[in-house]
Amino acid sequence: MLLIALFTLLAAGIVKGAIGSGVPVLVIPVLTMLYDVKLAIAVLVAPNLFSNIVQIWQYRRHLLPTRFLITFSLAGALGIIVGTWGLVVLSPELLSLGVAGAIIIYLMIKLTNRQFTLSYATASRIVIPVGFLGGILQGAAGMSAPASITFLNAMRLERPVFIASISVFFVAITCVQIPALLSTGILTMQRSLFSIVALLIILLTMPLGSRLGKRLPHHWFDNLIMLLLAGISLKIITDALLT
């Protein structure tokens, strides 16, 4: 299981460097399958915070307008509080199914709306509910991708703008998630150490992913991730139904 977790983190670092996101989408389902949702979310705290700070700095000249990002981030931060409450009160089996459900929704959106384009004006009108939903998903299932990443992808942003903007959202919600997890006892000292190790592994392969992202088509990474997620979600659902 440790080897699978290690290879998943290495792959997540490559994907993160290439397309600016993808760490929770890859790591949360695998760690949920191997261990449980709470550990998976705690382990990704340091990677979510520091890897995205690095990318904000790298792409700081390509951010979306400040007002849009602040609104998006504050809505996500409120959602984190609600989602973390769900993480505490819901059963492990239900949380695992929640992760699988989030994956399925993400895949369905990706498959059915590949040509859909969201204008900036429309995105500005729905940014609060989308950010709030993304925060809830991040807090309860560890992955906001069905809301946050899909939302920004639909805006058809240039790669540097997408990376910079989604990184701001991730840093903001993680800054709220850390004290929330500490107050509930989910983020322990041992899990914090695991999180730091996970961060170092991801940072190790992000530069490779960044180089690949400039040379290879985005859809190569997209299709590979979707295929992997389909298999993982099926495994999580099967395990949950059989236990």
Side-chain angles (χ1 to χ4, degrees):
M1 289 195 296
L2 285 174
L3 279 176
I4 294 173
L6 173 62
F7 285 126
T8 301
L9 290 168
L10 289 170
I14 293 174
V15 173
K16 175 70 173 173
I19 63 176
S21 61
V23 172
V25 171
L26 280 176
V27 177
I28 291 292
V30 173
L31 292 187
T32 297
M33 181 176 63
L34 297 177
Y35 302 101
D36 62 72
V37 183
K38 293 179 181 179
L39 182 141
I41 291 175
V43 164
L44 278 194
V45 164
N48 281 343
L49 181 61
F50 293 105
S51 66
N52 284 296
I53 288 175
V54 169
Q55 291 194 317
I56 290 173
W57 176 255
Q58 290 175 333
Y59 297 95
R60 61 192 181 277
R61 295 183 179 87
H62 303 279
L63 291 164
L64 283 170
T66 302
R67 182 177 178 179
F68 181 93
L69 289 177
I70 289 175
T71 304
F72 191 33
S73 299
L74 287 177
L78 290 174
I80 277 284
I81 297 171
V82 177
T84 303
W85 173 79
L87 187 64
V88 173
V89 301
L90 298 177
S91 68
E93 292 79 14
L94 194 57
L95 290 169
S96 294
L97 288 174
V99 172
I103 296 171
I104 292 170
I105 293 170
Y106 178 65
L107 292 175
M108 289 175 62
I109 293 172
K110 294 286 286 183
L111 288 171
T112 58
N113 292 286
R114 288 195 163 193
Q115 304 304 318
F116 177 72
T117 301
L118 188 66
S119 70
Y120 179 79
T122 303
S124 297
R125 288 195 291 269
I126 64 173
V127 66
I128 292 177
V130 172
F132 185 66
L133 177 59
I136 292 175
L137 290 172
Q138 184 71 24
M143 47 185 293
S144 68
S148 62
I149 293 177
T150 302
F151 177 58
L152 293 185
N153 270 339
M155 294 176 69
R156 303 298 173 191
L157 303 172
E158 295 293 328
R159 179 176 175 269
V161 179
F162 173 82
I163 292 176
S165 302
I166 195 65
S167 295
V168 169
F169 179 77
F170 287 153
V171 167
I173 62 176
T174 304
C175 285
V176 177
Q177 188 178 35
I178 290 173
L181 293 175
L182 286 170
S183 67
T184 57
I186 294 173
L187 185 59
T188 62
M189 180 61 71
Q190 183 185 49
R191 288 175 176 176
S192 297
L193 292 174
F194 291 160
S195 185
I196 293 171
V197 172
L199 169 65
L200 295 175
I201 294 170
I202 289 170
L203 289 177
L204 186 67
T205 53
M206 276 179 62
L208 172 60
S210 182
R211 289 194 293 271
L212 290 174
K214 295 173 183 177
R215 297 179 181 179
L216 299 177
H218 186 160
H219 68 267
W220 284 23
F221 296 96
D222 223 18
N223 292 336
L224 182 61
I225 292 172
M226 290 172 66
L227 183 62
L228 178 64
L229 289 178
I232 291 171
S233 62
L234 182 61
K235 177 70 166 57
I236 292 173
I237 292 171
T238 302
D239 289 348
L241 293 178
L242 292 178
T243 55

